[in-house]
Amino acid sequence: MSVYKNVFYAGAALAAASLFTSVAFAGPLVNQLGYYPEAEKSVVYPGNDANGLEVRDLNGKTVLKLDAPDVYDWDYSGEEVQTFDISAVKTPGTYRLFRGGAYVGNPITVGNNVYEDLVKASLKWFYYQRASMPLLPQYAGKWARAAGHMDDKVIIYGSDKVTGGKGAGKVINSARGWYDAGDYGKYIVNSGITVFTLLEIYEHFPKYMDSLTWNIPREFPKYPELLEEIRYNLDWMLTLQDKDGGVYHKVTTLKFGGSVLPEDDVAPRYAIIKNMPASLDFAAVMAQASVVYRNIDKAYADKMLKAAESAYAWAKKNPKAIYKQPDDVQTGGYVPGDENGKDEFRWAAAELYRAKAVAGVKTDKAAAGYLKDLKGNPFTANGAWWGDVNMLAAFRVALDSADFDKDLVAAAKKTVMNEANNLRAVGDTSAYRLPAFPWSWNWGSNSAMANNGMVLVHAYLLTGDKSYLDGAQQCLDYLLGKNPMDITYVTGFGYRSPRNPHHRPSESDLVDDPVPGMLVGGPHLGKQDINLDGKEHWKCPNYAAADKPALAYIDNRCSYATNEVAINWNAPLAYLAAALEAIYSK
């Protein structure tokens, strides 16, 4: 074993030990960034003693005094905990918690704009994920880097001798776009739900988003800054549409590259296999984007709507074209769990029908076809993630009800509200006050918590009922420190945050601090990266010895299963934080 590997494993062991020590001797667990005055505020205290809780201001004055609450078990961590509701503290300021007369934990902030820096950082991170351009110091600061992956000569998979073809290989220009996660691949399926979520931020909170700036280069100065960033990825997505309308799945190397800077990852890049789900995700996002951009760039909006209709038509002609990962390709699969594409057709039809209505051609033959397809493909109860986009269709129909008939709208609202009510019921009774289902504890569990928060925000937008906003707050609280690890899961934020994410630019840039604003994947029991056989190789030590999903996390770059980052994880974090900021700052 090399010296470097000894250091690597020692660091992993130390990280695991420090995190589990913090669990064993945890104090109060709170949102480490703070709360708006009118927000629900809860403090989770591990243990079962009889001490109450005092909240004091910095002058030592007691502003709230609470008796010890009941003790609850939380199966996901194996803890007994007590939860204190301190929502009565509404005056802006900094407060400290006391228990048994002793000061415990870190100060708590109550005030305005408590999440604005988080919103800007979580969105600025997409700039740091840009391919095909240098990140200049005036925008990227100490994380400046040279351009990587110009992607102007991407090989069509199967057209060259390396991947089974007979020739030198057909090439396309597939520049721009965001790196998907901790690696350097660019994927249509994951870009789909990511761009949808970012566009939802702008659609729901345009006035708030127009007020923000986070220092990115401006190609289109008339665009709002968020739409400038999103276009960088939309432009890339357009490059993967073939002349027949079908869309390639991804642009990657054949195997994952090492932990190097983008400029040093020089293996050939391939556009890999047109398929139905990718084409439909593309169609849905292009249709949605055509609506959002129509008032600021009609030509671009028309281009996207045309591309969306072409992709949908290709998918209709090729309904069995499901992506199958070739044997010689080892990069991310992003293969949906089903093979019928019903959820992708549902989402794309909803977005296309609305886009046609907004473009003033709601009554043409194509629009009628989208509506017919949507009516014949009922909503399911499934929540939103890249592998099932049913809820995205329900969001669209429920919140844009003027564009759809009343029966569709009623079905969509029922879908959203049932999910929201189930989440809120769990949050109201959970020891940690966390609206999460058992299946939320999977790869990317933190994104599941953020997506749950998105559902609850949509329910609030539909009803105006603050209880749903309180549930969304609890989802964000968990991500920002009210969790058994006592950390925020966002790099650069809070009193304790991840320092060693699985993210190749942060691993290889010789900068101690990771790029800020990244939501790491979070704990779960998948253990895909754990060294279970005891042999020396590049897998993590067994950090999940407690065998509880909320504890199965390690802050080490080896842990691609719990500490990687991804664009579809950051997007719902940004949505959730921006929603609370926009709603409470009105």
Side-chain angles (χ1 to χ4, degrees):
M1 178 182 282
S2 70
V3 172
Y4 181 74
K5 285 187 177 180
N6 274 316
V7 171
F8 180 75
Y9 282 123
L14 284 172
S18 65
L19 286 176
F20 277 105
T21 297
S22 73
V23 172
F25 301 100
L29 304 172
V30 299
N31 183 321
Q32 295 179 18
L33 270 61
Y35 305 89
Y36 260 82
E38 297 304 318
E40 181 176 294
K41 312 171 189 72
S42 60
V43 176
V44 171
Y45 215 111
N48 57 10
D49 65 43
N51 285 314
L53 188 73
E54 283 186 70
V55 183
R56 302 180 189 176
D57 64 20
L58 292 186
N59 293 318
K61 179 183 177 182
T62 297
V63 298
L64 183 66
K65 191 171 184 179
L66 300 169
D67 294 331
D70 292 335
V71 177
Y72 289 89
D73 294 322
W74 205 46
D75 290 341
Y76 300 121
S77 63
E79 297 171 285
E80 291 185 327
V81 302
Q82 297 168 298
T83 301
F84 295 86
D85 185 343
I86 62 168
S87 301
V89 180
K90 298 180 184 294
T91 303
T94 301
Y95 298 89
R96 301 196 302 167
L97 301 176
F98 287 78
R99 206 166 190 213
Y103 172 47
V104 291
N106 298 112
I108 295 175
T109 299
V110 175
N112 297 318
N113 308 118
V114 284
Y115 308 129
E116 189 163 293
D117 287 344
L118 173 63
V119 174
K120 292 190 286 188
S122 61
L123 293 172
K124 175 71 175 278
W125 179 64
F126 288 90
Y127 164 72
Y128 290 112
Q129 290 295 100
R130 289 189 185 187
S132 311
M133 68 176 293
L135 304 189
L136 302 177
Q138 60 263 44
Y139 304 110
K142 61 186 177 184
W143 298 282
R145 58 169 171 79
H149 305 98
M150 300 311 294
D151 285 341
D152 54 350
K153 294 181 176 62
V154 171
I155 304 164
I156 301 297
Y157 179 87
S159 69
D160 66 330
K161 292 181 180 180
V162 173
T163 59
K166 296 181 179 179
K170 298 178 182 178
V171 299
I172 61 171
N173 185 333
S174 193
R176 299 168 75 94
W178 301 316
Y179 298 128
D180 172 71
D183 65 286
Y184 294 130
K186 300 187 293 189
Y187 301 80
I188 288 291
V189 169
N190 215 33
S191 280
I193 192 169
T194 300
V195 171
F196 165 86
T197 304
L198 296 178
L199 289 172
E200 284 279 271
I201 299 175
Y202 193 79
E203 291 208 64
H204 294 165
F205 313 110
K207 183 177 180 182
Y208 175 69
M209 294 313 303
D210 284 345
S211 73
L212 299 185
T213 181
W214 51 89
N215 189 29
I216 58 173
R218 301 308 305 269
E219 255 184 291
F220 305 97
K222 293 184 179 180
Y223 282 18
E225 202 150 322
L226 178 56
L227 300 189
E228 170 97 45
E229 186 60 61
I230 294 170
R231 176 161 180 169
Y232 196 82
N233 199 67
L234 288 169
D235 285 349
W236 165 71
M237 294 178 76
L238 286 165
T239 71
L240 282 194
Q241 185 171 41
D242 200 3
K243 292 179 180 179
D244 62 2
V247 179
Y248 291 98
H249 199 69
K250 59 183 176 179
V251 171
T252 71
T253 51
L254 296 181
K255 299 179 181 180
F256 285 120
S259 295
V260 298
L261 287 166
E263 63 189 284
D264 297 323
D265 185 46
V266 295
R269 307 259 285 180
Y270 290 84
I272 303 177
I273 304 179
K274 289 182 290 186
N275 64 87
M276 175 265 289
S279 297
L280 289 171
D281 287 348
F282 172 97
V285 162
M286 290 297 162
Q288 180 192 16
S290 76
V291 172
V292 177
Y293 286 78
R294 183 157 297 280
N295 289 334
I296 59 171
D297 193 335
K298 183 178 182 299
Y300 191 55
D302 288 341
K303 178 181 180 180
M304 289 188 289
L305 182 54
K306 182 179 179 181
E309 295 203 81
S310 179
Y312 191 90
W314 186 92
K316 291 274 285 186
K317 293 177 182 177
N318 297 273
K320 295 184 179 180
I322 303 296
Y323 180 76
K324 182 179 180 181
Q325 183 91 306
D327 292 340
D328 59 346
V329 177
Q330 298 177 11
T331 52
Y334 287 115
V335 182
D338 62 69
E339 294 189 358
N340 56 35
K342 284 188 175 181
D343 57 306
E344 288 90 357
F345 272 112
R346 192 175 305 127
W347 179 31
E351 295 290 359
L352 275 162
Y353 185 72
R354 181 182 68 138
K356 297 287 279 187
V358 171
V361 285
K362 184 177 180 179
T363 59
D364 73 3
K365 183 177 179 180
Y370 304 138
L371 184 60
K372 180 181 178 181
D373 287 352
L374 185 58
K375 287 183 174 181
N377 187 7
F379 300 107
T380 67
N382 299 341
W385 65 294
W386 66 261
D388 193 323
V389 292
N390 164 76
M391 191 61 69
L392 309 190
F395 286 163
R396 175 61 59 235
V397 177
L399 268 80
D400 291 274
S401 56
D403 296 319
F404 300 93
D405 67 44
K406 64 179 182 178
D407 290 338
L408 271 176
V409 171
K413 288 183 177 179
K414 182 178 179 181
T415 298
V416 175
M417 295 308 302
N418 281 350
E419 183 80 349
N421 288 332
N422 289 336
L423 284 166
R424 196 64 187 123
V426 173
D428 287 342
T429 58
S430 161
Y432 263 78
R433 299 296 187 268
L434 177 64
F437 300 125
W439 50 90
S440 299
W441 302 97
N442 212 321
W443 189 306
S445 64
N446 284 342
S447 74
M449 307 311 169
N451 279 320
N452 290 343
M454 270 193 71
V455 172
L456 290 158
V457 171
H458 279 72
Y460 170 78
L461 295 176
L462 284 169
T463 65
D465 185 337
K466 186 177 178 291
S467 71
Y468 297 112
L469 199 62
D470 293 339
Q473 178 74 54
Q474 297 293 5
C475 293
L476 188 63
D477 291 348
Y478 170 85
L479 298 175
L480 297 180
K482 200 189 71 177
N483 57 66
M485 309 310 292
D486 193 18
I487 63 171
T488 78
Y489 282 115
V490 184
T491 56
F493 282 83
Y495 296 108
R496 291 162 297 283
S497 62
R499 300 286 300 168
N500 303 286
H502 184 85
H503 179 240
R504 282 161 178 73
S506 292
E507 293 168 16
S508 56
D509 61 8
L510 302 181
V511 179
D512 284 347
D513 297 322
V515 174
M518 299 188 289
L519 178 68
V520 299
H524 66 100
L525 289 173
K527 304 184 182 183
Q528 294 88 349
D529 52 21
I530 288 178
N531 182 355
L532 295 175
D533 58 16
K535 296 179 181 179
E536 295 176 2
H537 55 67
W538 287 98
K539 286 197 173 185
C540 286
N542 192 350
Y543 56 85
D547 210 34
K548 293 292 183 179
L551 302 179
Y553 167 80
I554 186 172
D555 179 19
N556 195 290
R557 71 184 184 91
C558 69
S559 188
Y560 53 85
T562 74
N563 215 38
E564 191 172 10
V565 298
I567 56 174
N568 67 303
W569 301 345
N570 249 62
L573 169 69
Y575 179 95
L576 187 53
L580 291 170
E581 274 289 325
I583 292 167
Y584 278 124
S585 64
K586 285 182 179 178

